[in-house]
């Protein structure tokens, strides 16, 4: 649980759309670390009453219909490294990056 908490929140911003992440990970990491929709943790922050099995659907809907959501979220691919051709950072890349500006 502590590792999952670090992956979701460490080095994240304080805004509405950057205080957590959407993490696309492989099936083993998803099963072992991101159960119950925790890979769509940002959506859970925005809509805490949405059941875990609907979080991906809501994420996809927001990507399609909300320019603010689409432009401001942090979506990662993989934990240690992001595989090609994805331009998205890995979770490790986000944890190692310069922290967001916190004015």
């Amino acid at each position: 649980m502590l590792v999952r908490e670090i992956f979701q929140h460490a080095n994240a911003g304080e805004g509405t759309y950057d205080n957590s992440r959407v993490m696309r990970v492989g099936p083993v990491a998803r099963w072992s670390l991101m159960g119950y929709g925790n890979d769509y943790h940002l959506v859970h922050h925005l809509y805490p009453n949405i059941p875990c099995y609907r979080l991906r659907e809501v994420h996809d809907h927001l990507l399609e219909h909300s320019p603010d959501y689409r432009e401001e979220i942090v979506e990662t691919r993989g934990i240690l490294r992001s595989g090609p051709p994805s331009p998205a950072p890995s979770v490790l890349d986000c944890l190692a990056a310069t922290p967001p500006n916190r004015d």
Side-chain angles (χ1 to χ4, degrees):
M1 287 176 51
L2 179 59
V3 170
R4 181 174 59 219
E5 187 72 18
I6 290 169
F7 285 177
Q8 293 167 341
H9 296 285
N11 206 19
E14 295 177 347
T16 302
Y17 299 115
D18 69 349
N19 64 15
S20 186
R21 303 177 175 89
V22 172
M23 295 165 283
R24 303 286 181 117
V25 297
V28 173
R30 187 165 195 270
W31 172 80
S32 62
L33 294 171
M34 304 295 167
Y36 299 107
N38 277 292
D39 41 351
Y40 294 94
H41 197 64
L42 174 60
V43 181
H44 164 71
H45 277 246
L46 296 171
Y47 302 103
N49 292 331
I50 299 288
C52 63
Y53 54 86
R54 302 282 309 268
L55 293 174
R56 181 177 183 172
E57 177 185 344
V58 173
H59 168 72
D60 292 342
H61 178 82
L62 289 170
L63 284 176
E64 185 176 340
H65 297 288
S66 173
D68 290 340
Y69 182 84
R70 186 173 44 249
E71 293 168 12
E72 295 181 37
I73 67 166
V74 175
E75 186 169 354
T76 66
R77 300 273 180 186
I79 292 178
L80 299 177
R81 59 189 160 106
S82 183
S86 175
S90 69
V91 173
L92 187 60
D93 292 335
C94 287
L95 296 177
T98 303
N101 188 9
R102 295 184 177 156
D103 295 331

